[in-house]
Amino acid sequence: MKEADTGARSRPERVALFTSCMGDLAAGGPARATVEVLAAMGVAVELPRGQTCCGQPALNSGHPTEAGSLLDRWLRIFAPYDAVVTPSGSCAAHLHHHLGRLRSPTPEQRALVERTYEFSQFVMAYGTELRFRLPGSVTYHDSCHLTRTLGERRTPRQLLGRIEGLEVREMAGCDTCCGFGGTFAAKFPEVSVAMADTKLRSAAAEGTDWLVSADPGCLLHLGGRARKAGPPVRTRHLAELVRDALVPAEVPA
């Protein structure tokens, strides 16, 4: 899946939430917000027991065999579902980009990954009836994997553009790396911190209320650096912002 096709289609009935390692261990807010937004769409969300990592950190660290084993487990666990939604653009990108590189997938496995969506892709495809309103301003950080690997930079901006009262200001270098890069931040901390500082300065220059992204890892990295020594920039995951902006549906009397 490159950029999401938002044409008319029937909405999946049985949807699984893939929380990602980051969502499970360090940043549960985006996963909870994803469930709340999907519930507002009328979608029943299941959290498959036994889900673990998709294998991306292992592959990034040079261990394709272990990454392939984790991918096999992911494919088994999520096979029964009509769609999979994740608040991690990085994980969605890994699954779409590396399935055919780590495995020779069956048609069923390829179809499963094709119906795996990053949060904004799913909402833009199936949540056209939702209304959003939230006063304020944001600037958006394009995470590397979502933008370059999955090829998706349109749907997050489209979703932000649907929020009444919200001003979106594009910062300089919106698609440059923030320095997280998963294991990169651990292996090269000095370079990683310098990259985060550059990104935070660009965000601060826009004077917005929030720096928003679709990747929990980027936000943990940027938010942590901002709190430690960087400019006073507040970070927010796209799913949390969208959840906060939901306008309750009017029920006929």
Side-chain angles (χ1 to χ4, degrees), residues 38-229:
L38 297 187
M41 294 167 55
V43 174
V45 184
E46 297 184 29
L47 185 66
R49 296 187 63 181
Q51 64 171 289
T52 56
C53 180
C54 64
Q56 181 182 184
L59 186 63
N60 289 349
S61 298
H63 302 290
T65 300
E66 291 77 2
S69 296
L70 287 166
L71 178 59
D72 289 340
R73 179 183 178 89
W74 189 96
L75 291 167
R76 290 195 303 271
I77 288 172
F78 288 94
Y81 296 93
D82 298 327
V84 182
V85 180
T86 178
S88 172
S90 184
C91 291
H94 171 76
L95 292 163
H96 282 271
H97 188 68
H98 289 294
L99 173 66
R101 291 166 172 81
L102 292 171
R103 289 293 182 265
S104 297
T106 65
E108 292 77 15
Q109 290 172 334
R110 194 174 296 279
L112 169 60
V113 170
E114 284 300 316
R115 61 180 187 269
T116 298
Y117 298 80
E118 179 271 329
F119 167 78
S120 70
Q121 291 181 325
F122 190 84
V123 177
M124 286 303 302
Y126 300 108
T128 55
E129 77 286 356
L130 294 178
R131 289 188 59 208
F132 307 103
R133 184 184 303 116
L134 187 70
S137 58
V138 300
T139 192
Y140 180 73
H141 162 61
D142 293 278
S143 63
C144 292
H145 289 137
L146 179 63
T147 304
R148 294 176 177 83
T149 306
L150 192 61
E152 183 63 83
R153 57 184 299 143
R154 181 181 62 182
T155 54
R157 287 177 170 82
Q158 288 179 325
L159 191 50
L160 288 171
R162 286 177 54 186
I163 301 176
E164 301 172 23
L166 186 70
E167 179 186 2
V168 182
R169 304 175 194 165
E170 291 285 357
M171 63 176 159
C174 59
D175 60 353
T176 58
C177 181
C178 70
F180 177 60
T183 57
F184 176 86
K187 293 175 180 176
F188 305 100
E190 295 86 358
V191 179
S192 175
V193 164
M195 295 172 74
D197 288 347
T198 298
K199 176 66 71 169
L200 289 169
R201 285 194 295 269
S202 294
E206 297 304 322
T208 58
D209 298 316
W210 296 100
L211 168 60
V212 174
S213 185
D215 259 303
C218 296
L219 293 170
L220 279 174
H221 179 59
L222 290 168
R225 182 59 183 165
R227 289 188 296 272
K228 179 70 175 179

